[in-house]
Each structure stands twice: as C-alpha cells, then as structure tokens.
Amino acid sequence: MPNDLMLRARISPKGHLDLLSRQEVTALLQVNSGPLARIFRNCSLAVLNHDEYQIDDDQALLERYPDYEVQVIQDERGIKLELRNAPAAAFVDGELIRGINEHLFSVLRDLVYIDSGTARQFDLKSSDGITNAVFRILRNARVLKAGLEPRLVVCWGGHSISCEEYDYSKEVGYQLGLRDMDICTGCGAGAMKGPMKGAAVAHAKQRNSCGQYLGITEPGIIASESPNPIVADLVIMPDIEKRLESFVRLGHAIIVFPGGAGTMEETLYILGVLLDPANARIPLPLVLTGPASAQDHFALMDRFLTETLGPKVKNLYRIIIDDPEEVARYVVKGVREVRDYRRATEDAFYFNWHLRIPLDLQLPFAPTHENMRTLRLTKDRPVNELAGDLRRAFSGIVSGNVKASGLKAIAEQGPFELQGDISIMKPMDELLAAFVAKQRMKLPSANKQYTPCYKLVGA
C-alpha cells in the first residue's frame, strides 16, 4: 500500500448537488450499492488521482490504491462524500482541492442522472431519442450556454505525446484564448490539457473571466485518463458514442493534434458524419495541426484517410503545420461561418440540432473479438459507412489498450482480428506501426514494451 494516503475525509458539495430534494438524496444514496458502486469508486479514484501519477491503465491505478473507499452519506443539509485511503496529493493541509471536489460531485451527478434517465426518460433505440438523451445530460450538467455567440473549440489529441507537441498544443490554445475562444477536450493529459492551459493564460491577459474549459469523458475512459486540473466543467457521458456526439453537437470548430488510436477514432467519427450527404452544407471547420516534428505524422494520417476514404475527404479538413496563429485565425473565420449559418437556419448556437448523425454511429459498439472480426472494412459501400466501421476498429484498439474490459478480453482470447480489403489493411498497418514506433498507443513504461492488442488479416 502506498504511504501517500489521506486516511479519512468527509467532504461537502461545492457548486454541484448542494441543493437537493429528499427524492434526489434517496437516489444518490443508492450509489453505495448495486452496479453504480464499482463505477463510482473507479471514476472517483481517477478524479482524486488527477495528474499526480500518469497511468493510462485503470487496473494499475486500482492496484495502487486497493483499500480506497467512497460512500455517499446523508446529513441534515443534503449529502456528503466520505473518503477513506484516498490519494493524499488531492488534499492541501487536510482540505480537498476545490477543483477536485467539483469533479467528484460532477461524476456523482452524471452517473446517477444517467442511471435514472436510462430507465425512465431516455429512448435509446432511435436516433432522435439518443440525441435528446445527449442534450438532456449536457443540460443537467449546466454546460449549455444559451445566449452566447459561437466560440467553443473542440480539441482532440493524444495523452501520450512529446513535450514539443504538448507545448505546441498549449500555444494554439493561447492563440485561441487571445481571440476569446473557449476550449472543450476529452479532459485528460497531453493534447487535452495543453490547449486549456494556454487558453487560461490568454483569457487572463484579456481579462476574460467567463472562459469555458469543458471536459467530456465516459466511465471506461476516465479511469484511465484522469481529468486534468484546468477542466472547470466535467461531464460524464454514458458511453463513447454519446461522448463523441456531445463533442460534435457542442463544438463550433474542431482541432486535431497529434495522437494515437483514440485520436484516430475521433477523427474518423467526425469525418463519417461530415461525409454523410445530408450534412454536405453544414459548416464545421476541422483542422489537423502540430509542430514541425509532427509533419510526417500528419502526412501519414492524410495518406491513410485519402487511401481508405477517397481523395474527396481532403476537402473536409485542413492541415496546418507549425503555425499556431494561422490555426487560430482559420478557426475564428470558420466559427464566424458557423454563426452565420446557424442564424440563417435558426439553429441554436449552443447545440447543433441540424447535424445528422445516423443511428449506426450512435448505438454503442461493444469491441468483442466477434464484433471486431466482423467489421466490414471494404470499399464496396458508402464512404461514410466505411468511416463508421473504421472508427469502430480504432475504438476496439483503444479498448484493448487501456479499458478494463478490453484488457481482460485480450488477456483471455489474444489480440483482436481485423480483416478487410488489402487497400485498407495496408495503410492501416502502416499507420498503426507508426503509432507503436512513436509510443502513441500508451504512455511509455520503463517496465513494459507495448504489445499490440490487434492483428490485421490481409495486411
């Protein structure tokens, strides 16, 4: 057992769940037993871990703190959380850091709301029903900002990146912040933290006290990628598909920094959406960017996309290398076009209702060995559907790399098998090999060499 433990602490909500009805208190107390208990324990431990120990294996984190416990308790004014054997780094002079306090109660808020909503409120079998669920979860978390001009930039990128790439993402965030853009990321480390940190400094310089630093995650990811301390608003979505839909419905522009399989999954998701003919006229600027050292990375990524999805896919994104100011200028120009389009079509600024996301991109994909093996990675189908299955392939690789369920499946049954056209498998093999060579799959470990969780058939 590590000796850096806070043996016992009792904390009250600050900003979240501080005004509750008796019925809401009863619902929250149910977290102490049943299926939510384990999920809340794992997610809350990840929040308490914040960025003290960079671990992208949730099992390793659980093994470090095997005696950690969390209980929801009732008092005369609502609820409190009782923590035992929690990481001491989350406390200062015996007091829990305020940002971590907010994150803990955000996790509790979302898990309970999702659990109750799934049973009684949400229709999760239709496309409109799923979009409604995404909207209501975000609204319940109070992250939808009505009345504001479009300015939320979604930033995707790897948690396992070089210092140079991290500094570059921070500089891009800084340039965006100087132009009063807000930041939304997957809430973890690396390229998810850099843009927020840069924007926070720029907002301070511009005396902008209303900047938004939004982190969106899901239970299978948060335990492997703890929220970074810059995140002011943390939202837990039920699964990766609803997390991805949240990004594209909330964001007014998307920036992709260097990353690995997870970043590729996100990129293929938005391209699958934009390749749908129904979305052909909807503006959503998409930029791929990194420092000069990342030029080969994006060239390989660009080649993979054009060889698998066709040359027209290049019209949907722009690659900008080593020029943070140009990235910010391009994004601001694109966001203005989004604003004008939303006004002309009477769509909301805070949620992109007009964007069509087909049901097959919304339904959760379980990356089992059978499901991975039966993905149709062939070119005899609409290109947006192929992008969807490629997204699922990379989602499975992410699961096999860092998620408890995926790690367990790989340990028991060996690597996932992916098969398809040689014209798809060959560039995919080249891209994944480059991710492995550059240590973009997982955080580097002194004790372990990365073992692929996948096998490409036909490559």
Side-chain angles (χ1 to χ4, degrees):
M1 180 189 298
N3 56 16
D4 57 340
L5 296 179
M6 187 71 180
L7 295 182
R8 185 169 181 173
R10 187 170 287 189
I11 60 172
S12 301
K14 292 180 173 64
H16 296 294
L17 304 180
D18 45 4
L19 291 173
L20 297 170
S21 69
R22 289 184 177 180
Q23 185 178 15
E24 289 169 330
V25 169
T26 300
L28 292 167
L29 290 172
Q30 292 175 358
V31 172
N32 292 329
S33 59
L36 281 185
R38 180 185 59 82
I39 298 173
F40 181 52
R41 177 184 181 273
N42 294 356
C43 292
S44 63
L45 178 57
V47 167
L48 290 162
N49 181 61
H50 62 112
D51 62 349
E52 185 69 17
Y53 300 102
Q54 290 300 311
I55 299 172
D56 62 356
D57 181 339
D58 60 351
Q59 193 58 42
L61 180 59
L62 295 173
E63 289 174 357
R64 182 175 178 83
Y65 299 100
D67 298 319
Y68 166 70
E69 297 177 11
V70 58
Q71 287 280 311
V72 182
I73 60 175
Q74 184 175 5
D75 72 358
E76 67 278 4
R77 288 169 294 189
I79 62 162
K80 291 184 177 182
L81 291 180
E82 184 169 277
L83 309 176
R84 296 184 181 182
N85 302 315
F91 298 80
V92 176
D93 297 334
E95 295 289 328
L96 187 67
I97 294 171
R98 293 187 188 92
I100 296 176
N101 178 298
E102 292 178 0
H103 288 175
L104 276 178
F105 284 98
S106 293
V107 171
L108 180 61
R109 173 202 66 206
D110 292 341
L111 290 180
V112 172
Y113 184 74
I114 290 166
D115 183 65
S116 62
T118 300
R120 296 192 296 272
Q121 304 174 46
F122 304 150
D123 167 21
L124 300 181
K125 295 182 180 179
S126 72
S127 182
D128 288 344
I130 291 172
T131 296
N132 176 61
V134 169
F135 172 81
R136 292 178 67 173
I137 293 167
L138 295 170
R139 185 179 64 180
N140 184 65
R142 301 178 185 175
V143 299
L144 299 177
K145 306 293 185 182
L148 293 181
E149 292 279 300
R151 64 187 192 192
L152 187 63
V153 181
V154 172
C155 296
W156 289 334
H159 62 298
S160 178
I161 59 174
S162 68
C163 291
E164 182 181 9
E165 290 168 348
Y166 172 77
D167 289 341
Y168 181 84
S169 74
K170 187 166 63 175
E171 179 62 25
V172 170
Y174 176 75
Q175 293 297 331
L176 291 169
L178 289 177
R179 294 160 175 83
D180 289 324
M181 295 289 106
D182 291 337
I183 305 296
C184 173
T185 77
C187 91
M192 292 170 276
K193 178 181 177 181
M196 286 187 168
K197 196 168 186 179
V201 173
H203 287 162
K205 283 191 173 183
Q206 292 286 29
R207 300 300 186 263
N208 177 355
S209 60
C210 301
Q212 187 175 22
Y213 314 99
L214 174 59
I216 303 177
T217 186
E218 54 100 5
I221 291 289
I222 189 175
S224 305
E225 295 179 1
S226 301
N228 75 69
I230 312 297
V231 173
D233 294 310
L234 176 66
V235 184
I236 315 295
M237 300 304 293
D239 50 57
I240 189 66
E241 285 75 16
K242 293 174 187 62
R243 181 194 192 211
L244 289 168
E245 181 165 353
S246 299
F247 283 131
V248 302
R249 297 238 184 241
L250 287 173
H252 304 112
I254 296 175
I255 296 176
V256 178
F257 292 103
T263 305
M264 201 67 226
E265 175 188 3
E266 293 163 336
T267 305
L268 285 163
Y269 180 87
I270 186 56
L271 290 176
V273 171
L274 296 178
L275 284 166
D276 190 315
N279 297 321
R281 300 181 64 183
I282 298 179
L284 185 59
L286 175 61
V287 182
L288 281 56
T289 189
S293 59
Q295 184 162 0
D296 289 346
H297 169 80
F298 284 112
L300 185 61
M301 190 170 167
D302 182 51
R303 186 161 69 248
F304 168 77
L305 292 172
T306 54
E307 289 184 7
T308 56
L309 301 178
K312 291 183 179 179
V313 74
K314 291 174 70 74
N315 298 330
L316 300 177
Y317 58 83
R318 180 178 172 188
I319 298 176
I320 300 175
I321 300 298
D322 203 28
D323 196 340
E325 290 189 48
E326 177 59 20
V327 172
R329 286 192 291 264
Y330 181 82
V331 164
V332 169
K333 179 176 181 294
V335 168
R336 292 195 188 109
E337 294 174 359
V338 170
R339 178 198 62 194
D340 294 344
Y341 178 84
R342 301 275 184 94
R343 281 179 174 165
T345 59
E346 299 183 340
D347 198 9
F349 285 163
Y350 54 83
F351 195 81
N352 191 343
W353 290 104
H354 284 186
L355 199 69
R356 178 183 182 271
I357 302 180
L359 184 61
D360 67 330
L361 280 182
Q362 295 176 303
L363 293 174
F365 172 70
T368 64
H369 281 73
E370 178 63 20
N371 287 343
M372 291 286 280
R373 191 162 37 245
T374 55
L375 291 173
R376 286 186 56 202
L377 305 181
T378 60
K379 293 185 175 180
D380 58 344
R381 56 193 308 209
V383 66
N384 58 306
E385 294 181 10
L386 172 58
D389 265 359
L390 283 169
R391 195 283 297 178
R392 294 179 190 95
F394 280 92
S395 183
I397 293 172
V398 172
S399 177
N401 282 341
V402 301
K403 293 187 180 182
S405 58
L407 292 167
K408 183 173 183 291
I410 298 300
E412 292 175 351
Q413 303 178 54
F416 294 128
E417 286 189 2
L418 294 166
Q419 50 191 335
D421 291 348
I422 189 68
S423 59
I424 293 175
M425 292 290 99
K426 188 173 185 297
M428 189 172 184
D429 186 41
E430 293 174 355
L431 184 68
L432 290 169
F435 288 170
V436 173
K438 295 293 185 179
Q439 296 184 317
R440 296 190 186 278
M441 288 295 202
K442 288 175 66 71
L443 289 169
S445 170
N447 302 321
K448 296 180 181 179
Q449 184 176 7
Y450 175 72
T451 301
C453 64
Y454 59 88
K455 178 181 179 182
L456 302 186
V457 179

